[in-house]
Amino acid sequence: MAARLAEEWFAICGGCEVTILDIGEPLIDVLKQIQIVHMPVLMDHKLFGQTGEGTKMEVPEADVGLIAGGIRNEENKELALEMRKKCKILISLGSCACFGGIPALANQYSKEEMLEKVYRDSVTTEKNGLPHEQIPALTDRVYALHEVVKVDAFLPGCPTTPEMVTAALLAVIEGKPLPALAAKSVCDECPTRREKKAAGGGVRGHLDPPEFKFGAPLTEMRCLMEQGILCLGPATRAGCGGSDGNPRCIRAYMPCEGCFGPLSDKANPMVDMMGALSSIGLDPKQIPDRAATFNRFAGSGRLRPMPKR
Ligand code: SF4
Ligand code: SF4
Ligand code: SF4
């Protein structure tokens, strides 16, 4: 019998749903073995009955539930509880669900400050009342899914990778254990050449091209951070590599931005990155906005409103 799949999206951009499409040809085989029972991005399936006749939010029972996005409002919270109740296995899809992701950068501000900035204080906004009718109340901050309900597996990444989604779905279909997260860092999988000291010249612009003969093997490229290009590989969990195992951004000659999240639940990426920069002779103080830069995808439990100056 096909495995029943339910999917929901909370505070997100939709990129992680596109990753499901990015599975490409193998998706045809996967689809033969699953039955999608609920997926707002794909099918018209209402939460309060198709004609709004329901009195409480309901999703159908499913063998596996995927949730993308962090929890930003009371409706997300209620729906997370309903998905947990109805899905035998619940999976966080992408870094927004796993750690709050980009929306959790707003956790540096109180809810009131954020609303004031977005709806009243921005130079492109006419000062007006705040929206309040028929919209769910915001939670005090963005929460990762597992801060609100029990989660059985995590598929980090912004977006997550088609390989990880396929592996998780096949594990559910075949009744095998869900894939575990890698226990090493992006640096551990990075093939670049390291000399354990910065090349000189300090921290360069993030989008500066690396010194490298394009087309040559990656093993001939010097570590981007040693070249002065900020790379969060030392403080980021591995697992984004494709079939060649090389980290996704490094393969494109770009530095890691940390999208697979911290090395563990208790890790502090800011401390880890400041140590990594100092150890090769770079000054971490050259990085503006360090808390946000080093926790760009992992703000749910790590970023808090900044004290007023
Ligand atoms: S993890 Fe990235 S790609 Fe996925 S929903 Fe969040 S912002 Fe979009
Ligand atoms: S810092 Fe970046 S470029 Fe250098 S080894 Fe780590 S992942 Fe590779
Ligand atoms: S290299 Fe870093 S930013 Fe790029 S996909 Fe991998 S974890 Fe994400």
Side-chain angles (χ1 to χ4, degrees):
M1 207 171 73
R4 292 161 304 167
L5 169 80
E7 201 266 355
E8 261 297 342
W9 51 357
F10 298 161
I12 53 148
C13 76
C16 283
E17 279 76 15
V18 176
T19 299
I20 300 175
L21 277 183
D22 280 348
I23 292 174
E25 225 169 283
L27 183 60
I28 298 170
D29 282 336
V30 173
L31 283 177
K32 284 183 195 150
Q33 302 173 76
I34 56 174
Q35 181 199 356
I36 300 174
V37 294
H38 175 77
M39 195 176 210
V41 69
L42 199 65
M43 59 202 273
D44 180 21
H45 186 253
K46 308 272 193 302
L47 294 169
F48 289 87
Q50 284 309 91
T51 54
E53 73 280 7
T55 52
K56 68 182 178 66
M57 195 182 273
E58 274 193 282
V59 295
E61 304 222 334
D63 297 300
V64 58
L66 298 174
I67 295 182
I71 290 176
R72 173 74 274 190
N73 64 38
E74 294 299 331
E75 183 189 74
N76 300 155
K77 213 180 203 176
E78 199 179 330
L79 197 42
L81 293 167
E82 170 67 3
M83 285 283 284
R84 178 67 277 183
K85 204 162 85 186
K86 297 292 179 62
C87 302
K88 290 183 190 153
I89 295 169
L90 195 60
I91 298 177
S92 285
L93 178 73
S95 288
C96 290
C98 293
F99 326 107
I102 296 295
L105 283 171
N107 286 357
Q108 295 173 100
Y109 306 95
S110 71
K111 188 171 65 176
E112 292 70 29
E113 282 171 321
M114 186 191 64
L115 286 170
E116 194 63 23
K117 179 77 189 172
V118 172
Y119 288 102
R120 294 168 62 84
D121 222 17
S122 148
V123 283
T124 54
T125 304
E126 272 182 40
K127 273 195 194 310
N128 220 319
L130 295 174
H132 63 280
E133 277 176 33
Q134 299 194 346
I135 52 168
L138 292 181
T139 43
D140 59 335
R141 65 173 173 93
V142 175
Y143 290 82
L145 185 61
H146 69 274
E147 291 182 285
V148 174
V149 293
K150 179 178 168 285
V151 169
D152 302 301
F154 299 86
L155 306 179
C158 182
T160 188
T161 70
E163 293 83 4
M164 287 173 64
V165 179
T166 311
L169 290 179
L170 287 178
V172 171
I173 291 164
E174 293 163 9
K176 294 187 176 154
L178 291 159
L181 292 172
K184 50 188 175 177
S185 74
V186 171
C187 286
D188 291 331
E189 292 196 332
C190 179
T192 58
R193 183 169 55 81
R194 273 158 268 188
E195 297 181 16
K196 301 199 173 149
K197 58 178 189 304
V203 179
R204 295 158 57 193
H206 182 68
L207 294 176
D208 272 10
E211 280 172 28
F212 178 57
K213 198 170 153 228
F214 290 95
L218 279 174
T219 45
E220 288 177 21
M221 180 166 80
R222 186 158 179 196
C223 162
L224 296 172
M225 199 150 76
E226 288 183 3
Q227 293 192 42
I229 299 170
L230 182 65
C231 179
L232 267 63
T236 303
R237 197 188 281 277
C240 61
S243 50
D244 62 2
N246 292 330
R248 186 161 58 178
C249 299
I250 305 296
R251 211 190 303 141
Y253 317 112
M254 292 295 293
C256 172
E257 295 193 336
C259 86
F260 260 57
L263 298 170
S264 73
D265 268 0
K266 297 208 170 74
N268 185 331
M270 184 148 92
V271 172
D272 292 347
M273 278 308 300
M274 287 172 79
L277 286 159
S278 307
S279 73
I280 58 167
L282 290 172
D283 181 3
K285 293 207 191 82
Q286 269 195 278
I287 317 286
D289 203 0
R290 287 183 289 282
T293 302
F294 298 143
N295 290 292
R296 187 178 300 162
F297 299 92
S300 65
R302 290 178 174 84
L303 294 175
R304 290 285 178 271
M306 289 177 272
K308 292 238 171 2
R309 294 201 180 124

